[in-house]
Amino acid sequence: MLMNKVVELTDGKSAVIITGDFNYTNDSEGYKIMTSSENKVVFYDTREITQTPFTGRPHTSNGFRERENSRIIDYIFVNEGV
């Protein structure tokens, strides 16, 4: 639904940034859908494509307690226009 809305609003040609707490990991179906090259608009995980090395915690935290093996579930996705 999100991908269809992006195409509807931008015709796939504008710069688009999508952020959120998606509650899925990078090996889940949702992540694969967001980053699939088969989409009309392809999105990239900024953590994977950044030219500046990532600094900070390597995981997502809920703020209530620190977990040693937390999962990354928050993402910033961008398309080619960014």
Coordinates of all heavy atoms in Angstrom, one line a residue:
M1 N 0.8 -1.2 0.0 CA 0.0 0.0 0.0 C 0.9 1.3 0.0 O 0.6 2.2 -0.7 CB -0.9 0.0 1.2 CG -1.9 1.1 1.2 SD -3.2 0.9 2.5 CE -2.3 1.3 4.0
L2 N 1.9 1.2 0.8 CA 2.8 2.4 0.9 C 3.5 2.6 -0.5 O 3.6 3.8 -0.9 CB 3.9 2.1 2.0 CG 5.0 3.2 2.2 CD1 4.3 4.5 2.6 CD2 6.0 2.7 3.2
M3 N 4.0 1.6 -1.1 CA 4.6 1.7 -2.4 C 3.7 2.3 -3.5 O 4.1 3.2 -4.2 CB 5.2 0.4 -2.9 CG 6.1 -0.3 -1.9 SD 7.5 0.8 -1.5 CE 8.5 0.5 -2.9
N4 N 2.5 1.8 -3.4 CA 1.5 2.3 -4.4 C 1.2 3.8 -4.2 O 1.0 4.6 -5.1 CB 0.2 1.6 -4.3 CG 0.3 0.1 -4.8 OD1 1.2 -0.2 -5.6 ND2 -0.5 -0.7 -4.3
K5 N 1.1 4.2 -2.9 CA 0.9 5.6 -2.6 C 2.0 6.5 -3.0 O 1.8 7.6 -3.5 CB 0.6 5.8 -1.1 CG 0.0 7.1 -0.7 CD -1.4 7.2 -1.3 CE -2.2 8.3 -0.7 NZ -3.5 8.5 -1.4
V6 N 3.3 6.1 -2.9 CA 4.4 6.8 -3.4 C 4.3 7.0 -4.9 O 4.5 8.2 -5.3 CB 5.7 6.1 -3.0 CG1 6.9 6.7 -3.7 CG2 6.0 6.1 -1.5
V7 N 4.0 6.0 -5.6 CA 3.9 6.1 -7.1 C 2.7 7.1 -7.4 O 2.9 7.9 -8.3 CB 3.7 4.7 -7.7 CG1 3.3 4.9 -9.2 CG2 4.9 3.9 -7.5
E8 N 1.6 7.0 -6.7 CA 0.5 7.8 -7.0 C 0.8 9.3 -6.7 O 0.4 10.2 -7.5 CB -0.7 7.4 -6.0 CG -1.9 8.3 -6.1 CD -2.9 7.9 -5.1 OE1 -3.1 6.8 -4.7 OE2 -3.6 8.9 -4.6
L9 N 1.5 9.6 -5.6 CA 1.8 11.0 -5.3 C 2.9 11.6 -6.0 O 3.0 12.8 -6.2 CB 2.1 11.1 -3.8 CG 0.9 10.8 -2.8 CD1 1.4 10.7 -1.4 CD2 -0.2 11.8 -3.0
T10 N 3.9 10.8 -6.5 CA 5.1 11.3 -7.1 C 5.3 10.9 -8.5 O 6.2 11.4 -9.1 CB 6.3 10.9 -6.3 OG1 6.5 9.5 -6.4 CG2 6.2 11.3 -4.8
D11 N 4.6 10.0 -9.0 CA 4.8 9.4 -10.3 C 6.1 8.7 -10.4 O 6.7 8.6 -11.4 CB 4.6 10.4 -11.4 CG 4.4 9.7 -12.8 OD1 3.9 8.6 -12.8 OD2 4.7 10.4 -13.8
G12 N 6.7 8.4 -9.2 CA 8.0 7.7 -9.2 C 9.2 8.5 -9.5 O 10.3 8.0 -9.7
K13 N 9.1 9.9 -9.7 CA 10.2 10.7 -10.2 C 10.7 11.6 -9.2 O 11.8 12.2 -9.4 CB 9.7 11.4 -11.4 CG 9.4 10.5 -12.6 CD 8.9 11.3 -13.8 CE 8.6 10.2 -14.9 NZ 7.4 10.4 -15.6
S14 N 10.0 11.9 -8.1 CA 10.5 12.8 -7.1 C 11.3 12.1 -6.0 O 11.3 10.9 -5.8 CB 9.3 13.4 -6.4 OG 8.5 14.1 -7.3
A15 N 12.1 12.9 -5.3 CA 12.9 12.4 -4.2 C 11.9 12.1 -3.0 O 11.0 12.8 -2.7 CB 13.9 13.5 -3.7
V16 N 12.1 10.9 -2.5 CA 11.2 10.4 -1.4 C 12.1 9.8 -0.3 O 13.0 9.1 -0.5 CB 10.2 9.3 -1.9 CG1 9.4 8.8 -0.8 CG2 9.4 9.9 -3.0
I17 N 11.7 10.2 0.9 CA 12.3 9.7 2.1 C 11.2 9.1 3.0 O 10.2 9.7 3.3 CB 13.1 10.7 2.9 CG1 14.1 11.4 2.1 CG2 13.6 10.2 4.2 CD1 14.8 12.6 2.7
I18 N 11.4 7.8 3.4 CA 10.4 7.1 4.2 C 11.1 6.7 5.5 O 12.1 6.0 5.4 CB 9.8 5.9 3.5 CG1 9.0 6.4 2.2 CG2 8.9 5.1 4.4 CD1 8.5 5.2 1.4
T19 N 10.6 7.1 6.6 CA 11.1 6.7 7.9 C 10.1 6.0 8.7 O 8.9 6.3 8.5 CB 11.7 7.9 8.7 OG1 10.6 8.8 9.0 CG2 12.7 8.7 7.9
G20 N 10.5 5.2 9.7 CA 9.6 4.7 10.6 C 10.0 3.5 11.4 O 11.1 2.9 11.1
D21 N 9.2 3.2 12.3 CA 9.4 2.0 13.2 C 8.6 0.9 12.5 O 7.4 0.7 12.7 CB 8.9 2.3 14.6 CG 9.0 1.1 15.5 OD1 9.4 0.0 15.0 OD2 8.8 1.3 16.7
F22 N 9.2 0.2 11.6 CA 8.5 -0.8 10.7 C 8.3 -2.1 11.4 O 7.5 -3.0 11.0 CB 9.3 -1.0 9.4 CG 9.2 0.2 8.6 CD1 10.2 1.2 8.6 CD2 8.2 0.4 7.7 CE1 10.2 2.3 7.8 CE2 8.1 1.5 6.8 CZ 9.1 2.5 6.9
N23 N 9.0 -2.4 12.5 CA 8.9 -3.6 13.3 C 9.1 -4.8 12.5 O 8.5 -5.9 12.7 CB 7.5 -3.7 14.0 CG 7.3 -2.8 15.1 OD1 8.3 -2.5 15.8 ND2 6.2 -2.2 15.3
Y24 N 10.1 -4.7 11.5 CA 10.6 -5.9 10.9 C 12.1 -5.8 10.7 O 12.6 -4.7 10.8 CB 9.9 -6.2 9.6 CG 9.8 -5.1 8.5 CD1 10.9 -4.5 7.9 CD2 8.5 -4.6 8.1 CE1 10.8 -3.5 7.0 CE2 8.4 -3.6 7.2 CZ 9.5 -3.1 6.6 OH 9.4 -2.1 5.6
T25 N 12.7 -6.9 10.6 CA 14.2 -6.9 10.4 C 14.5 -6.9 8.9 O 13.7 -7.1 8.1 CB 14.8 -8.2 11.1 OG1 14.2 -9.3 10.5 CG2 14.5 -8.1 12.6
N26 N 15.8 -6.8 8.6 CA 16.2 -6.7 7.2 C 16.1 -8.0 6.5 O 16.4 -8.1 5.3 CB 17.6 -6.1 7.1 CG 18.7 -6.9 7.7 OD1 18.4 -7.9 8.3 ND2 19.9 -6.4 7.6
D27 N 15.8 -9.1 7.2 CA 15.6 -10.4 6.5 C 14.1 -10.8 6.4 O 13.8 -11.8 6.0 CB 16.4 -11.5 7.1 CG 16.0 -11.8 8.6 OD1 15.2 -10.9 9.2 OD2 16.5 -12.8 9.2
S28 N 13.2 -9.8 6.8 CA 11.8 -10.1 6.7 C 11.2 -9.8 5.4 O 11.8 -9.1 4.5 CB 11.1 -9.3 7.8 OG 11.1 -7.9 7.5
E29 N 10.0 -10.2 5.2 CA 9.3 -10.0 3.9 C 9.0 -8.5 3.6 O 9.2 -8.0 2.5 CB 8.0 -10.8 3.9 CG 7.2 -10.7 2.6 CD 8.0 -11.4 1.4 OE1 8.8 -12.3 1.7 OE2 7.8 -11.0 0.3
G30 N 8.7 -7.8 4.7 CA 8.4 -6.3 4.5 C 9.6 -5.6 4.0 O 9.5 -4.7 3.2
Y31 N 10.8 -5.9 4.6 CA 12.0 -5.2 4.2 C 12.3 -5.6 2.7 O 12.7 -4.7 1.9 CB 13.2 -5.7 5.1 CG 14.5 -5.0 4.8 CD1 14.8 -3.8 5.5 CD2 15.3 -5.5 3.9 CE1 16.0 -3.2 5.2 CE2 16.5 -4.9 3.6 CZ 16.9 -3.7 4.3 OH 18.1 -3.1 4.0
K32 N 12.1 -6.8 2.4 CA 12.4 -7.3 1.0 C 11.5 -6.6 0.0 O 11.9 -6.2 -1.1 CB 12.3 -8.8 0.9 CG 13.4 -9.5 1.7 CD 13.1 -11.0 1.7 CE 14.2 -11.7 2.5 NZ 13.9 -13.1 2.7
I33 N 10.3 -6.4 0.4 CA 9.3 -5.6 -0.5 C 9.8 -4.2 -0.6 O 9.8 -3.7 -1.8 CB 7.9 -5.7 0.1 CG1 7.3 -7.1 0.0 CG2 7.0 -4.7 -0.6 CD1 6.0 -7.3 0.8
M34 N 10.1 -3.5 0.5 CA 10.6 -2.1 0.4 C 11.8 -1.9 -0.5 O 11.9 -0.9 -1.2 CB 10.9 -1.6 1.8 CG 9.7 -1.2 2.6 SD 8.7 0.1 2.0 CE 9.8 1.5 2.1
T35 N 12.7 -2.9 -0.5 CA 14.0 -2.8 -1.2 C 14.1 -3.6 -2.5 O 15.1 -3.7 -3.1 CB 15.1 -3.2 -0.3 OG1 15.0 -4.5 0.1 CG2 15.2 -2.2 0.9
S36 N 13.0 -4.1 -3.0 CA 12.9 -4.9 -4.2 C 13.2 -4.1 -5.4 O 12.6 -3.0 -5.6 CB 11.6 -5.6 -4.3 OG 11.5 -6.3 -5.6
S37 N 14.1 -4.6 -6.3 CA 14.3 -3.9 -7.5 C 13.2 -4.0 -8.5 O 13.2 -3.5 -9.6 CB 15.6 -4.4 -8.1 OG 15.6 -5.8 -8.4
E38 N 12.2 -4.8 -8.2 CA 11.0 -5.0 -9.1 C 9.9 -4.0 -8.9 O 9.0 -3.9 -9.6 CB 10.5 -6.4 -8.8 CG 11.4 -7.5 -9.2 CD 10.9 -8.9 -9.0 OE1 9.7 -9.1 -8.9 OE2 11.7 -9.8 -9.0
N39 N 10.1 -3.1 -7.9 CA 9.1 -2.1 -7.6 C 9.2 -1.0 -8.7 O 10.3 -0.8 -9.2 CB 9.4 -1.4 -6.2 CG 9.1 -2.4 -5.1 OD1 8.2 -3.2 -5.2 ND2 9.8 -2.3 -4.0
K40 N 8.2 -0.2 -8.9 CA 8.2 0.9 -9.7 C 9.2 2.0 -9.2 O 9.8 2.7 -10.0 CB 6.8 1.5 -9.9 CG 5.9 0.7 -10.7 CD 4.5 1.3 -10.9 CE 3.6 0.4 -11.6 NZ 2.3 1.0 -11.8
V41 N 9.2 2.1 -7.9 CA 10.2 3.0 -7.2 C 11.0 2.1 -6.3 O 10.4 1.4 -5.4 CB 9.4 4.1 -6.4 CG1 10.5 5.0 -5.7 CG2 8.5 4.9 -7.3
V42 N 12.3 2.1 -6.5 CA 13.2 1.3 -5.6 C 13.6 2.1 -4.4 O 14.1 3.2 -4.6 CB 14.4 0.7 -6.4 CG1 15.3 -0.1 -5.6 CG2 13.9 -0.1 -7.6
F43 N 13.5 1.5 -3.2 CA 14.0 2.2 -2.0 C 15.2 1.5 -1.5 O 15.4 0.3 -1.6 CB 12.9 2.2 -1.0 CG 11.9 3.3 -1.2 CD1 10.7 2.9 -1.9 CD2 12.1 4.6 -0.9 CE1 9.8 3.9 -2.2 CE2 11.2 5.6 -1.2 CZ 10.0 5.2 -1.8
Y44 N 16.1 2.3 -0.9 CA 17.4 1.8 -0.4 C 17.4 2.1 1.1 O 17.0 3.2 1.5 CB 18.6 2.5 -1.1 CG 18.5 2.3 -2.6 CD1 17.9 3.2 -3.4 CD2 19.1 1.1 -3.1 CE1 17.9 3.0 -4.8 CE2 19.0 0.9 -4.5 CZ 18.4 1.9 -5.3 OH 18.4 1.7 -6.7
D45 N 17.9 1.2 1.9 CA 18.1 1.3 3.3 C 19.4 2.2 3.5 O 20.5 1.9 3.1 CB 18.3 0.0 3.9 CG 18.6 0.0 5.4 OD1 18.8 1.1 6.0 OD2 18.6 -1.1 6.0
T46 N 19.2 3.4 4.0 CA 20.3 4.4 4.2 C 21.5 3.8 5.0 O 22.6 4.2 4.7 CB 19.9 5.7 4.7 OG1 19.3 5.5 6.0 CG2 18.9 6.4 3.8
R47 N 21.2 2.9 5.9 CA 22.3 2.3 6.7 C 23.2 1.5 5.8 O 24.4 1.4 6.0 CB 21.7 1.4 7.7 CG 22.7 0.8 8.7 CD 22.0 -0.1 9.7 NE 21.0 0.5 10.5 CZ 21.2 1.0 11.7 NH1 22.4 0.9 12.3 NH2 20.3 1.6 12.4
E48 N 22.6 1.0 4.7 CA 23.4 0.1 3.7 C 24.1 0.9 2.7 O 25.1 0.5 2.1 CB 22.5 -0.9 3.1 CG 21.8 -1.8 4.0 CD 22.8 -2.7 4.8 OE1 23.8 -3.1 4.2 OE2 22.5 -3.0 5.9
I49 N 23.7 2.1 2.4 CA 24.3 2.9 1.2 C 25.0 4.1 1.6 O 25.6 4.8 0.8 CB 23.2 3.2 0.2 CG1 22.2 4.2 0.8 CG2 22.5 2.0 -0.4 CD1 21.3 4.9 -0.3
T50 N 25.0 4.5 2.9 CA 25.6 5.7 3.3 C 27.1 5.8 3.0 O 27.8 4.7 3.0 CB 25.4 6.0 4.8 OG1 26.0 7.2 5.2 CG2 26.1 4.9 5.7
Q51 N 27.6 6.9 2.6 CA 29.0 7.1 2.3 C 29.8 7.5 3.6 O 31.0 7.4 3.6 CB 29.2 8.2 1.2 CG 28.7 7.8 -0.1 CD 28.8 8.9 -1.1 OE1 29.5 9.9 -0.9 NE2 28.3 8.6 -2.3
T52 N 29.0 7.9 4.6 CA 29.6 8.2 5.9 C 29.4 7.1 6.8 O 28.2 6.7 7.0 CB 28.9 9.5 6.5 OG1 29.1 10.6 5.5 CG2 29.6 9.9 7.8
P53 N 30.4 6.5 7.4 CA 30.2 5.4 8.3 C 29.2 5.7 9.4 O 29.2 6.7 10.0 CB 31.6 5.1 8.9 CG 32.5 5.8 7.9 CD 31.8 6.9 7.3
F54 N 28.4 4.7 9.7 CA 27.4 4.8 10.7 C 28.0 4.9 12.1 O 29.0 4.1 12.4 CB 26.4 3.6 10.7 CG 25.4 3.6 11.8 CD1 24.3 4.4 11.7 CD2 25.6 2.7 12.9 CE1 23.4 4.4 12.8 CE2 24.7 2.7 13.9 CZ 23.6 3.5 13.8
T55 N 27.6 5.8 12.9 CA 28.0 5.8 14.3 C 26.8 5.7 15.2 O 25.7 6.0 14.8 CB 28.8 7.1 14.6 OG1 27.9 8.2 14.4 CG2 30.0 7.3 13.7
G56 N 27.1 5.3 16.4 CA 26.0 5.2 17.4 C 25.6 3.8 17.6 O 26.4 2.9 17.2
R57 N 24.5 3.5 18.3 CA 24.2 2.2 18.6 C 23.8 1.4 17.3 O 23.2 1.9 16.4 CB 22.9 2.1 19.5 CG 23.2 2.7 20.8 CD 21.9 2.6 21.6 NE 22.0 3.5 22.8 CZ 21.0 3.7 23.6 NH1 19.9 3.0 23.5 NH2 21.1 4.5 24.6
P58 N 24.2 0.1 17.3 CA 23.9 -0.7 16.1 C 22.5 -1.3 16.1 O 22.2 -2.0 15.2 CB 25.0 -1.8 16.2 CG 25.2 -2.0 17.6 CD 25.1 -0.6 18.2
H59 N 21.7 -0.9 17.1 CA 20.4 -1.5 17.2 C 19.3 -0.5 17.6 O 19.7 0.6 18.0 CB 20.4 -2.7 18.1 CG 20.8 -2.2 19.5 ND1 22.1 -2.2 19.9 CD2 20.1 -1.8 20.6 CE1 22.2 -1.7 21.1 NE2 21.0 -1.5 21.6
T60 N 18.1 -0.9 17.5 CA 17.0 -0.1 18.0 C 16.7 -0.3 19.4 O 16.8 -1.5 19.9 CB 15.8 -0.4 17.1 OG1 16.1 -0.2 15.7 CG2 14.6 0.5 17.5
S61 N 16.3 0.7 20.2 CA 16.0 0.5 21.6 C 14.6 1.1 21.8 O 14.2 2.1 21.2 CB 17.1 1.3 22.4 OG 16.7 1.3 23.8
N62 N 13.9 0.5 22.8 CA 12.6 1.0 23.1 C 12.7 2.0 24.2 O 11.7 2.6 24.6 CB 11.7 -0.2 23.5 CG 12.2 -0.9 24.8 OD1 13.0 -0.4 25.5 ND2 11.6 -2.1 25.0
G63 N 13.8 2.3 24.8 CA 14.0 3.3 25.8 C 13.7 2.9 27.2 O 14.0 3.6 28.1
F64 N 13.1 1.7 27.3 CA 12.8 1.2 28.7 C 13.9 0.5 29.3 O 14.1 0.6 30.5 CB 11.5 0.3 28.6 CG 10.3 1.0 28.1 CD1 9.8 0.6 26.8 CD2 9.7 2.0 28.8 CE1 8.7 1.3 26.3 CE2 8.6 2.7 28.3 CZ 8.1 2.3 27.1
R65 N 14.6 -0.3 28.5 CA 15.8 -1.0 29.0 C 16.7 -1.3 27.9 O 16.3 -1.5 26.7 CB 15.4 -2.2 29.8 CG 14.7 -3.2 28.9 CD 14.2 -4.4 29.7 NE 13.3 -5.1 28.7 CZ 12.6 -6.1 29.0 NH1 12.7 -6.7 30.1 NH2 11.8 -6.7 28.1
E66 N 18.0 -1.4 28.1 CA 18.9 -1.8 27.1 C 19.0 -3.3 26.9 O 19.0 -4.0 27.9 CB 20.3 -1.3 27.6 CG 21.4 -1.4 26.5 CD 21.2 -0.4 25.4 OE1 20.6 0.7 25.7 OE2 21.7 -0.7 24.3
R67 N 18.9 -3.7 25.7 CA 19.0 -5.1 25.4 C 20.3 -5.3 24.6 O 20.6 -4.6 23.7 CB 17.8 -5.6 24.5 CG 16.5 -5.5 25.2 CD 15.5 -6.1 24.4 NE 14.2 -6.1 25.1 CZ 13.1 -6.5 24.5 NH1 13.0 -6.8 23.2 NH2 12.0 -6.5 25.2
E68 N 21.0 -6.3 25.0 CA 22.3 -6.6 24.4 C 22.2 -7.0 22.9 O 22.9 -6.6 22.1 CB 23.1 -7.7 25.2 CG 24.5 -7.8 24.8 CD 25.3 -8.7 25.7 OE1 25.1 -8.6 26.9 OE2 26.0 -9.6 25.2
N69 N 21.2 -7.8 22.6 CA 21.0 -8.3 21.3 C 19.7 -7.8 20.6 O 19.0 -8.5 20.0 CB 21.0 -9.9 21.3 CG 22.3 -10.4 21.7 OD1 23.3 -9.9 21.4 ND2 22.2 -11.5 22.5
S70 N 19.5 -6.5 20.7 CA 18.3 -5.9 20.1 C 18.4 -6.0 18.6 O 19.4 -6.1 18.0 CB 18.2 -4.5 20.6 OG 17.9 -4.4 21.9
R71 N 17.2 -5.9 18.0 CA 17.1 -6.0 16.5 C 17.0 -4.6 16.0 O 16.4 -3.7 16.6 CB 15.9 -6.8 16.1 CG 16.0 -8.2 16.7 CD 14.7 -9.0 16.4 NE 13.6 -8.2 17.0 CZ 12.3 -8.3 16.5 NH1 12.0 -9.0 15.5 NH2 11.4 -7.6 17.1
I72 N 17.4 -4.4 14.8 CA 17.2 -3.1 14.1 C 15.8 -3.3 13.4 O 15.5 -4.2 12.6 CB 18.2 -2.9 13.0 CG1 19.6 -2.7 13.6 CG2 17.9 -1.7 12.1 CD1 20.7 -2.7 12.7
I73 N 14.9 -2.4 13.8 CA 13.5 -2.4 13.3 C 13.1 -1.0 12.8 O 12.0 -0.8 12.3 CB 12.5 -2.9 14.3 CG1 12.5 -2.1 15.6 CG2 12.7 -4.4 14.6 CD1 11.4 -2.4 16.6
D74 N 13.9 0.0 13.0 CA 13.6 1.4 12.5 C 14.5 1.6 11.3 O 15.7 1.3 11.3 CB 14.0 2.4 13.6 CG 13.1 2.2 14.9 OD1 12.0 1.6 14.8 OD2 13.6 2.5 16.0
Y75 N 13.9 2.2 10.3 CA 14.7 2.4 9.1 C 14.4 3.8 8.5 O 13.4 4.4 8.7 CB 14.2 1.4 8.0 CG 14.5 0.0 8.4 CD1 13.6 -0.8 9.1 CD2 15.8 -0.6 8.2 CE1 13.8 -2.1 9.5 CE2 16.1 -1.9 8.6 CZ 15.1 -2.6 9.2 OH 15.3 -3.9 9.6
I76 N 15.4 4.2 7.7 CA 15.2 5.4 6.8 C 15.5 4.8 5.4 O 16.6 4.3 5.1 CB 16.3 6.5 7.1 CG1 16.1 6.9 8.5 CG2 16.1 7.6 6.1 CD1 17.2 7.9 9.0
F77 N 14.5 4.9 4.5 CA 14.6 4.4 3.2 C 14.5 5.7 2.2 O 13.8 6.6 2.5 CB 13.4 3.5 2.8 CG 13.3 2.2 3.5 CD1 12.4 2.0 4.5 CD2 14.2 1.2 3.2 CE1 12.4 0.8 5.2 CE2 14.2 0.0 3.8 CZ 13.2 -0.2 4.8
V78 N 15.3 5.6 1.2 CA 15.4 6.7 0.2 C 15.3 6.1 -1.2 O 15.7 4.9 -1.4 CB 16.6 7.6 0.3 CG1 16.6 8.3 1.7 CG2 17.9 6.8 0.1
N79 N 14.8 6.9 -2.1 CA 14.8 6.4 -3.5 C 16.0 7.1 -4.3 O 16.8 7.8 -3.7 CB 13.5 6.7 -4.2 CG 13.2 8.1 -4.4 OD1 13.9 9.0 -3.9 ND2 12.2 8.4 -5.2
E80 N 16.1 6.8 -5.6 CA 17.2 7.4 -6.4 C 17.2 8.9 -6.4 O 18.3 9.5 -6.6 CB 17.0 6.9 -7.8 CG 17.4 5.5 -8.0 CD 18.8 5.2 -8.0 OE1 19.7 6.1 -8.2 OE2 19.2 4.0 -7.8
G81 N 16.1 9.6 -6.2 CA 16.0 11.0 -6.2 C 16.7 11.7 -5.1 O 16.9 12.9 -5.1
V82 N 17.1 11.0 -4.0 CA 17.7 11.6 -2.8 C 19.2 11.6 -3.0 O 19.8 10.6 -3.3 CB 17.3 10.8 -1.6 CG1 18.0 11.4 -0.3 CG2 15.8 10.9 -1.4

